[in-house]
Amino acid sequence: MSLSNRQYAAHRGVSETAVRKALKSGRITLNSFGKIDPEKADAQWDANTDPSKVRGQQAKKKKVSRAAINAVEETLNEPSFTAKASPEDAYQRAKTALEVIKVKIGQIELRVMKGELVEAKYAEDEVFQASRTERDAWLNWPARVSAEWSAELGIEETAFYHAFYEAIRNHLFELAGTDPQ
């Protein structure tokens, strides 16, 4: 049995405009004859309609998967979600969780704009550059002081420089947790 838009609207208890909007948006589809199969359309209507946008007493609640409920529990920090609300209310709880997530994202973006937070990659690059600068300063130090110190100690300068440089280099490798060879 196939129905026209007007007949289906009467069957569904909605306006013909609502049926046309549902067809246009793809919430329900026409059969091959260009008419509406009421059983198929009812199933599509229920599955594809946002309960928060339905008016009146005819609103039917969507079923929500356990994974979605777990995600809502985690977001809202409410471990006994199913004890507090019926599964029919899960959709509204999920919408609340979405709003909570949007607020949290907004807070993070605000902290980034204020300069309180930086991207991890930027921080890693800065630490790498600072570490490299520190390492290079330590490796250049023996060249700057070895002549003066070897003269004070009465040791041959080249031998002192190489021993001092190798000791610092090995220590830096040890700090980095790598093998100097």
Side-chain angles (χ1 to χ4, degrees), residues 63-76 78 81-82 87 90-91 93-94 97 101:
K63 294 204 178 203
V64 179
S65 69
R66 170 63 21 211
I69 290 173
N70 290 341
V72 171
E73 288 175 359
E74 182 180 321
T75 303
L76 296 176
E78 295 182 9
F81 172 66
T82 51
Y91 182 80
R93 303 292 289 194
I101 290 169

Side-chain angles (χ1 to χ4, degrees), residues 110-131:
L110 179 62
R111 291 183 68 195
V112 168
M113 286 190 289
K114 286 180 170 180
E116 294 173 1
L117 295 177
V118 295
E119 291 184 30
K121 180 68 177 143
Y122 174 77
E124 289 171 5
D125 290 346
E126 289 296 311
V127 168
F128 179 80
Q129 273 307 116
S131 298

Side-chain angles (χ1 to χ4, degrees), residues 18-92:
V19 173
R20 277 187 300 216
K21 285 182 180 179
L23 285 166
K24 185 177 181 182
S25 69
R27 286 191 355 231
I28 62 172
T29 57
L30 298 173
N31 62 20
S32 58
F33 302 112
K35 298 282 186 175
I36 300 172
D37 177 358
E39 291 177 11
K40 182 179 170 187
D42 284 344
Q44 290 174 334
W45 190 290
D46 291 340
N48 298 325
T49 301
D50 182 350
S52 68
K53 296 192 169 126
V54 176
R55 297 182 191 154
Q57 297 296 324
Q58 64 198 24
K60 293 183 181 177
K61 304 290 182 179
K62 286 185 179 180
K63 294 204 178 203
V64 179
S65 69
R66 170 63 21 211
I69 290 173
N70 290 341
V72 171
E73 288 175 359
E74 182 180 321
T75 303
L76 296 176
N77 295 322
E78 295 182 9
S80 59
F81 172 66
T82 51
K84 292 181 181 181
S86 64
E88 292 82 29
D89 293 333
Y91 182 80
Q92 290 302 324

Side-chain angles (χ1 to χ4, degrees), residues 12 16 19 42 52 133 143 165 180:
R12 186 81 193 170
E16 187 179 354
V19 173
D42 284 344
S52 68
T133 302
Y165 178 83

